């Protein structure tokens, strides 16, 4: 099945690392798949604890893959725009969503200058991205439908599509209930068909 390009997004499946050196300084980079700011705070805290003797812990992240994503950049004491921005720029270049990128710097005694810092943080992040397992995931809407059992065949005819997945079924208070996911671009079409079924009730649950 061919899907609309709005149905998918790119992220990473697991943590990855990279290392870049320049004039004695070491730039250790990390990528993490993330879903929330709370998760990001916990990861940053753990990195700062593990690399407590590093000179800088710079980072950028983007979370959210449906509407406009949330993002943040942090230079952690480096000159403004020389660390967080080039880190974030690499996330944009590879079109990654729901990813936290951290670059830990150990100063080597020689200043790199503005262009040198930008290149170092950019390259360190790029290395971690190139080492990462990048995956493409589908954006789905989740719904629940309740209906009279007499209409089971009609409901299943609509839901038995390769862009629909049934997640849960139950029988509650004389009504049959199904929870299902539909890829984003097909949601309106599927829901419009289900709404034609007599005595059916459809509830939107979430987008993920």
């Amino acid at each position: 099945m061919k899907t609309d390009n709005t149905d998918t997004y790119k992220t990473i499946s697991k943590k990855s690392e990279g290392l870049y050196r320049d004039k004695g300084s070491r730039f250790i980079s990390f990528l993490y798949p993330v879903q929330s700011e709370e998760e990001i705070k916990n990861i940053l805290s753990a990195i700062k604890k593990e690399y407590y003797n590093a000179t800088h812990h710079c980072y950028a992240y983007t979370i959210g893959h449906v509407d406009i994503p949330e993002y943040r950049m942090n230079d952690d004491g480096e000159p403004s725009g020389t660390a967080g921005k080039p880190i974030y720029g690499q996330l944009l270049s590879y079109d990654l969503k729901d990813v936290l990128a951290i670059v830990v710097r150990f100063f080597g005694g020689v200043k790199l200058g503005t262009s040198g810092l930008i290149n170092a943080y950019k390259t360190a992040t790029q290395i971690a991205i190139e080492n990462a397992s990048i995956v493409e995931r589908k954006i789905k809407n989740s719904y629940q439908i309740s209906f009279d059992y007499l209409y089971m065949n009609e409901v299943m005819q609509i839901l038995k599509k390769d862009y629909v997945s049934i997640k849960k079924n139950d029988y509650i208070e004389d009504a049959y209930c199904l929870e299902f996911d539909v890829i984003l671009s097909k949601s309106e079409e599927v829901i419009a068909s289900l709404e034609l079924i007599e005595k059916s009730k459809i509830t939107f649950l979430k987008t993920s």
Side-chain angles (χ1 to χ4, degrees), residues 20-27 55-56 77-79 82 105-121:
Y20 177 73
R21 300 175 187 270
D22 191 5
K23 296 179 181 177
S25 284
R26 287 187 298 138
F27 297 83
T55 316
H56 303 280
E78 293 282 31
T82 62
R105 181 189 182 187
F106 288 88
F107 183 57
V110 178
K111 292 184 177 181
L112 302 182
T114 299
S115 60
L117 286 172
I118 291 172
N119 179 67
Y121 282 101

Side-chain angles (χ1 to χ4, degrees), residues 79-162:
S80 180
T82 62
K85 189 173 182 179
I87 293 171
Y88 181 62
Q90 288 303 291
L91 297 182
L92 291 180
S93 293
Y94 285 83
D95 196 25
L96 295 176
K97 305 289 194 301
D98 295 338
V99 173
L100 165 65
I102 306 170
V103 179
V104 174
R105 181 189 182 187
F106 288 88
F107 183 57
V110 178
K111 292 184 177 181
L112 302 182
T114 299
S115 60
L117 286 172
I118 291 172
N119 179 67
Y121 282 101
K122 172 186 174 181
T123 305
T125 306
Q126 183 179 9
I127 292 170
I129 292 174
E130 290 174 349
N131 290 337
S133 297
I134 297 176
V135 293
E136 191 171 75
R137 292 191 173 149
K138 292 180 180 178
I139 303 173
K140 301 166 289 185
N141 282 335
S142 299
Y143 300 90
Q144 181 187 72
I145 180 172
S146 59
F147 56 94
D148 192 300
Y149 187 77
L150 293 173
Y151 298 98
M152 174 64 80
N153 287 339
E154 287 89 337
V155 171
M156 295 310 295
Q157 282 294 321
I158 296 169
L159 297 184
K160 283 186 175 179
K161 302 288 193 302
D162 56 3

Side-chain angles (χ1 to χ4, degrees), residues 11-62:
T11 187
I12 61 172
S13 61
K14 58 185 178 180
K15 173 186 173 183
S16 70
E17 299 182 15
L19 173 64
Y20 177 73
R21 300 175 187 270
D22 191 5
K23 296 179 181 177
S25 284
R26 287 187 298 138
F27 297 83
I28 307 171
S29 51
F30 305 90
L31 287 189
Y32 293 86
V34 290
Q35 296 290 330
S36 68
E37 290 187 355
E38 185 65 28
E39 188 178 4
I40 289 167
K41 288 178 183 178
N42 291 336
I43 293 170
L44 286 170
S45 178
I47 286 289
K48 289 177 180 179
K49 184 176 180 180
E50 182 176 356
Y51 296 92
Y52 65 91
N53 57 337
T55 316
H56 303 280
H57 307 82
C58 306
Y59 66 89
Y61 66 78
T62 173

